[in-house]
Amino acid sequence: MTAAVRRSQMQMMRAVRCHGFAALDEATGSILSNKPALIRTVLSLDEGIEAPTLQNDTHVLIQAHFAGVQYPDFLQAQGLYQHRPKLPYIPGMDVAGVVIAKGGG
């Protein structure tokens, strides 16, 4: 892989992102008492996303080849996991791929 290709991969990427929490009321943040929205309504495959900044030498950027969706990912997309990330976020706690950049140079 050439340096130019690697740089372009690090600048823009595509990823599945979560744009809402399926089991929470958007206005109040409370858990919906009726049926929650389908998970697929809050997830989308987005292109042209700016690659994250690698803050320190413990951070890496991975070109994902496979990603698993586990129960905690499902809970988080519903807004029911103990940690609610700022929206939109890239879900996924399991990934396999190639490290294409590391923090700290």
Side-chain angles (χ1 to χ4, degrees), residues 1-3 5 7 11 13-15 18 22 27-30 35 43 49 58 64 75-76 78 83 91 93 98 101-102:
M1 181 179 307
T2 67
V5 171
R7 252 192 316 280
Q11 292 170 2
M13 61 183 218
R14 67 182 183 153
C18 185
T28 65
S30 60
K35 188 176 179 180
L43 298 175
I49 301 167
T58 63
L75 288 175
Q76 195 170 52
Q78 289 183 315
H83 171 69
M93 298 181 189
V98 177
K102 65 179 187 126

Side-chain angles (χ1 to χ4, degrees), residues 18-87:
C18 185
H19 294 273
F21 298 113
L24 300 183
D25 181 285
E26 287 186 33
T28 65
S30 60
I31 296 174
L32 294 170
S33 58
N34 56 354
K35 188 176 179 180
L38 297 174
I39 293 296
R40 69 176 175 242
T41 64
V42 298
L43 298 175
S44 65
L45 177 59
D46 298 343
E47 304 218 14
I49 301 167
E50 189 172 325
T53 303
L54 304 176
Q55 300 293 328
N56 59 53
D57 62 358
T58 63
H59 292 176
V60 295
L61 182 61
I62 299 171
Q63 180 181 13
H65 293 240
F66 301 96
V69 177
Q70 305 301 330
Y71 188 62
D73 299 310
F74 182 74
L75 288 175
Q76 195 170 52
Q78 289 183 315
L80 303 177
Y81 196 65
Q82 58 259 39
H83 171 69
R84 271 188 215 145
K86 182 180 168 192
L87 296 170

